[in-house]
Amino acid sequence: MESYKCCLCFTRKFVWSEAQPPADVRAAFDAHSEGWTQMTADQFRRFLAEAQGDAAVADVERVMEQALELRHRQLFHRKHFKPVFTLDDFHHYLFSEELNPPLRSQVHQDMTAPLSHYYIYTGHNSYLTGNQLSSDCSDVPIIKALQNGVRVIELDMWPNATKDNIDILHGRTLTSPVELIKCLRSIKEYAFSASPYPVIITLEDHLTPDLQAKVAEMVIETFGDMLYYPDSESPKEFLSPEALKKRIIISTKPPKEYLEAKNVKENDGDTKKVQESNEAWGMEVPDLQTELECSDKDEDAVDDGGDDDVDDDDQKVRQSSPLEYKRLITIRAGKPKGHITEALKVDQEKVRRLSLSEQELAKAAASYGADLIRFTQRNLLRIYPKGTRFTSSNYNPFVGWIHGAQMVAFNMQGHGRSLWLMHGFYKANGGCGYVKKPDFLLSTGSNNEVFDPKAILPVKKTLKVKVYMGDGWRMDFKKTHFDPYSPPDFYTRVGIAGVPADTTMKKTKAIEDNWMPAWDEEFVFPLTVPELAVLRIEVHEYDMSEKDDFAGQNCLPVSELKPGIRAVPLLDHKGMKFKSVKLLMRFEFA
């Protein structure tokens, strides 16, 4: 029983009890235990194979032992008797995210194709700790990104104050610098902490030739044998993630010009006025059509082109760059010059990387979608946030993904729904940071035709999602966190992010005054492009008088969902997993 104060002199009391196993769980237990009150290892093995699609589980008895140990908080002694499940044990196993997760955890895709055949987990201005104008630069967000599986790190290189060393900072802003060597050493230490597949460092180069030579010396000395050197200046095809395992790759524009930093003048504006989103969990993700319609309205946005940004008014031609520096560049980059169709021309003799802003992508997608897809079948396409995203917000990544863009660069230090989608998408393929692109984006027809993102497609697969119940909030939050006068009123939002035809959000009813809500509601999602779909899950607490409170979220790649009844852990608005909060859900494909 819990008590809540009301109107100073009154107390409201609420009785709560453990939620009972849902009807589907009881039915599964009865069916596979053959009507008995206990389920044996053989019966549990049959349940895993028939209902969960987990026929490959080798040591079923050990799984049962682990479930019993977790439930009863004591070691199971196999010497005395074989493990059996009661209904409550069976329910506890199903509700264990450790033993019954919703996703596959191993790398299972072919990793021997060229890099251009993969989506690559990509960061933007990876060194920033906060907003784009005045936050500190540090190696800490780089370390965090690598620990989360990010495979592309961006560094903006500028001369330091005395012009004798290299700093990393966001140029022409009030961001405080961090030394390049510190960032390089952190990359070396943490590059493969989450994934063995290659880390790509994209460099924005604003250096003189003598400092470029110093960069080459630092990079070679720091990474040693980890550094991959290209066999030729213009390779005809990229190597595969498998061939580049445990290697560091440098990508930047071949150096020709040097751009001096403009002095940032003191101004009347207060950079502290930079505001984050007014919602704790971020604004709703714009759909693809909205992104395309808004592209023409952003023509005046400040360009933030990353490693390819060179302003003609400020460039100063210098002597040719040192050979050692040029040799480091494995993936040569560039920005479009002239018409977009010229930039997207495919050269069969060499491969390269092209960078487009989110607005440039939207404009190109509106008229030249087929050219984008043909380009990305052999070459790399990097998309970066528009320059007006001062608060380190992000955009809809599906605009790039549906057109084959491998490097959809995000501000990883921010938070919000777009970033949740990015994190969720890259949980695929064991979270290794490389996700194989669907075959339809890599194939070309007999008449050179490619996939049309605007085409009306038939439903390829239907996903049924059932939300049974939730638990863990009472362990992770104070009893008055959501409502000072009563237990919370939770509801769940469930939906799909993907191509426009598949994108939708639905929600359950709100369960009043209950820390362990049982919704038992099912939703059906017809999918035309299931290969790119991401399942969105959010829990909120209904508030009649104010904005609903955020209570957890998760995003899961639909192609990786394990069928059956699964425990889904929930994360906070920054993407960190709660200690105890989780949902019990069922996934079924038709």
Side-chain angles (χ1 to χ4, degrees):
M1 180 174 292
E2 286 184 327
S3 299
Y4 290 81
K5 290 186 177 181
C6 182
C7 300
L8 299 179
C9 54
F10 296 99
T11 299
R12 302 176 69 191
K13 293 186 177 181
F14 295 87
V15 177
W16 66 270
S17 59
E18 294 284 341
Q20 297 301 306
D24 287 352
V25 172
R26 292 196 299 271
F29 181 84
D30 290 341
H32 290 87
S33 66
E34 301 173 356
W36 292 87
T37 59
Q38 293 182 327
M39 179 182 287
T40 65
D42 287 339
Q43 292 168 336
F44 181 57
R45 181 180 292 106
R46 186 162 60 87
F47 164 77
L48 292 177
E50 295 176 359
Q52 302 286 90
D54 287 337
V57 176
D59 193 346
V60 171
E61 289 190 1
R62 181 56 193 150
V63 172
M64 296 179 75
E65 291 170 6
Q66 290 174 322
L68 293 169
E69 288 169 0
L70 282 172
R71 174 167 166 71
H72 300 292
R73 299 294 182 217
Q74 61 186 25
L75 292 177
F76 182 90
H77 299 287
R78 182 183 288 196
K79 293 180 180 178
H80 301 301
F81 53 89
K82 288 185 176 295
V84 292
F85 274 170
T86 64
L87 173 60
D88 285 340
D89 293 332
F90 181 65
H91 180 218
H92 190 271
Y93 161 79
L94 291 174
F95 216 168
S96 169
E97 62 186 86
E98 299 172 46
L99 301 177
N100 188 35
L103 300 176
R104 290 181 279 184
S105 59
Q106 296 82 26
V107 174
H108 59 88
Q109 296 176 349
D110 174 23
M111 302 301 287
T112 61
L115 286 179
S116 56
H117 289 206
Y118 299 84
Y119 297 116
I120 309 173
Y121 206 176
T122 303
H124 172 257
N125 289 352
S126 305
Y127 49 85
L128 287 178
T129 57
N131 70 67
Q132 302 286 311
L133 299 180
S134 61
S135 64
D136 292 333
C137 301
S138 170
D139 64 330
V140 173
I142 296 172
I143 293 170
K144 183 179 178 182
L146 292 169
Q147 289 175 330
N148 289 335
V150 173
R151 298 291 84 192
V152 182
I153 299 296
E154 182 184 26
L155 301 177
D156 295 3
M157 303 187 301
W158 296 83
N160 67 354
T162 56
K163 309 293 185 183
D164 60 354
N165 211 334
I166 302 99
D167 280 341
I168 301 299
L169 73 153
H170 195 198
R172 306 172 192 150
T173 67
L174 298 177
T175 55
S176 60
V178 59
E179 289 186 347
L180 169 64
I181 189 62
K182 187 174 184 180
C183 296
L184 296 180
R185 287 170 178 165
S186 293
I187 291 173
K188 178 184 180 180
E189 183 175 355
Y190 294 94
F192 306 110
S193 58
S195 168
Y197 293 101
V199 167
I200 302 171
I201 304 175
T202 61
L203 300 176
E204 179 182 330
D205 180 359
H206 302 277
L207 303 177
T208 53
D210 60 317
L211 289 180
Q212 288 175 347
K214 194 162 188 174
V215 170
E217 183 181 337
M218 285 183 186
V219 168
I220 293 169
E221 184 177 328
T222 301
F223 296 125
D225 292 339
M226 296 168 66
L227 189 65
Y228 174 76
Y229 290 91
D231 293 330
S232 67
E233 287 190 5
S234 303
K236 291 186 176 182
E237 187 176 64
F238 291 116
L239 291 178
S240 70
E242 186 66 30
L244 293 167
K245 258 186 174 180
K246 295 292 184 88
R247 304 301 288 272
I248 303 290
I249 298 171
I250 303 298
S251 177
T252 188
K253 186 176 181 180
K256 292 181 181 178
E257 299 93 6
Y258 162 66
L259 178 62
E260 282 190 340
K262 291 181 178 178
N263 292 326
V264 179
K265 297 181 179 180
E266 297 282 340
N267 55 54
D268 295 332
D270 184 358
T271 57
K272 292 183 180 179
K273 292 181 180 178
V274 175
Q275 298 295 322
E276 295 296 333
S277 169
N278 61 349
E279 292 189 61
W281 49 89
M283 302 297 289
E284 187 56 83
V285 180
D287 59 35
L288 298 190
Q289 190 60 39
T290 302
E291 293 275 283
L292 296 177
E293 290 172 354
C294 291
S295 65
D296 292 333
K297 301 177 182 179
D298 292 322
E299 291 183 354
D300 297 328
V302 178
D303 189 26
D304 187 20
D307 51 13
D308 310 313
D309 189 21
V310 176
D311 189 336
D312 291 336
D313 294 333
D314 296 315
Q315 64 185 7
K316 293 185 177 181
V317 179
R318 301 288 169 134
Q319 63 191 42
S320 59
S321 298
L323 183 61
E324 297 87 347
Y325 183 76
K326 290 180 179 178
R327 282 189 62 229
L328 298 178
I329 305 172
T330 298
I331 301 175
R332 298 191 164 226
K335 282 187 71 175
K337 293 181 179 179
H339 198 269
I340 186 65
T341 54
E342 290 296 316
L344 293 174
K345 280 187 176 179
V346 176
D347 187 340
Q348 297 299 329
E349 296 302 314
K350 62 181 180 181
V351 289
R352 58 194 170 94
R353 176 169 67 80
L354 177 68
S355 284
L356 297 176
S357 68
E358 60 177 287
Q359 308 106 299
E360 289 172 327
L361 171 69
K363 291 175 186 177
S367 303
Y368 306 103
D371 293 321
L372 284 168
I373 291 173
R374 289 190 191 94
F375 180 84
T376 57
Q377 289 177 344
R378 279 180 46 80
N379 302 283
L380 296 178
L381 179 60
R382 171 180 171 269
I383 311 301
Y384 56 88
K386 61 187 178 183
T388 51
R389 294 190 179 277
F390 302 130
T391 61
S392 296
S393 63
N394 289 297
Y395 50 101
N396 187 339
F398 285 96
V399 184
W401 288 336
I402 197 63
H403 290 91
Q406 297 88 350
M407 297 180 175
V408 178
F410 261 37
N411 294 307
M412 298 295 173
Q413 75 275 26
H415 57 82
R417 288 188 168 105
S418 293
L419 190 55
W420 299 348
L421 284 180
M422 175 67 70
H423 292 329
F425 184 84
Y426 282 103
K427 290 173 185 172
N429 202 24
C432 74
Y434 286 83
V435 175
K436 192 78 159 53
K437 293 201 292 186
D439 290 340
F440 63 76
L441 287 175
L442 299 170
S443 59
T444 304
S446 56
N447 296 319
N448 201 33
E449 70 272 17
V450 294
F451 174 74
D452 181 5
K454 298 179 182 177
I456 299 175
L457 303 172
V459 172
K460 186 182 292 187
K461 187 179 289 186
T462 298
L463 171 65
K464 295 181 180 179
V465 177
K466 194 162 189 177
V467 186
Y468 290 115
M469 59 187 296
D471 192 15
W473 291 281
R474 59 193 172 89
M475 280 81 83
D476 291 356
F477 294 89
K478 295 180 180 178
K479 73 174 186 178
T480 57
H481 177 86
F482 296 103
D483 191 330
Y485 306 115
S486 67
D489 308 328
F490 290 127
Y491 66 90
T492 298
R493 299 179 73 224
V494 184
I496 297 292
V499 299
D502 298 346
T503 300
T504 184
M505 285 298 287
K506 303 177 182 181
K507 71 176 184 177
T508 68
K509 60 183 178 293
I511 303 297
E512 294 184 358
D513 302 333
N514 201 319
W515 283 101
M516 294 185 66
W519 297 283
D520 207 34
E521 294 188 44
E522 185 173 71
F523 303 96
V524 179
F525 301 105
L527 303 174
T528 61
V529 187
E531 298 91 340
L532 295 182
V534 174
L535 179 67
R536 294 177 54 190
I537 303 164
E538 297 179 15
V539 178
H540 300 274
E541 198 272 335
Y542 174 72
D543 194 319
M544 185 181 298
S545 59
E546 299 178 2
K547 183 177 63 179
D548 292 353
D549 295 316
F550 172 77
Q553 59 86 19
N554 206 336
C555 290
L556 305 172
V558 168
S559 62
E560 299 276 327
L561 288 174
K562 298 170 72 173
I565 300 173
R566 302 289 174 179
V568 178
L570 293 187
L571 319 176
D572 65 18
H573 71 284
K574 292 185 178 179
M576 301 298 292
K577 190 168 76 71
F578 287 122
K579 184 178 179 180
S580 310
V581 181
K582 55 192 174 183
L583 299 180
L584 186 65
M585 306 178 71
R586 187 186 70 198
F587 308 117
E588 181 182 344
F589 291 98

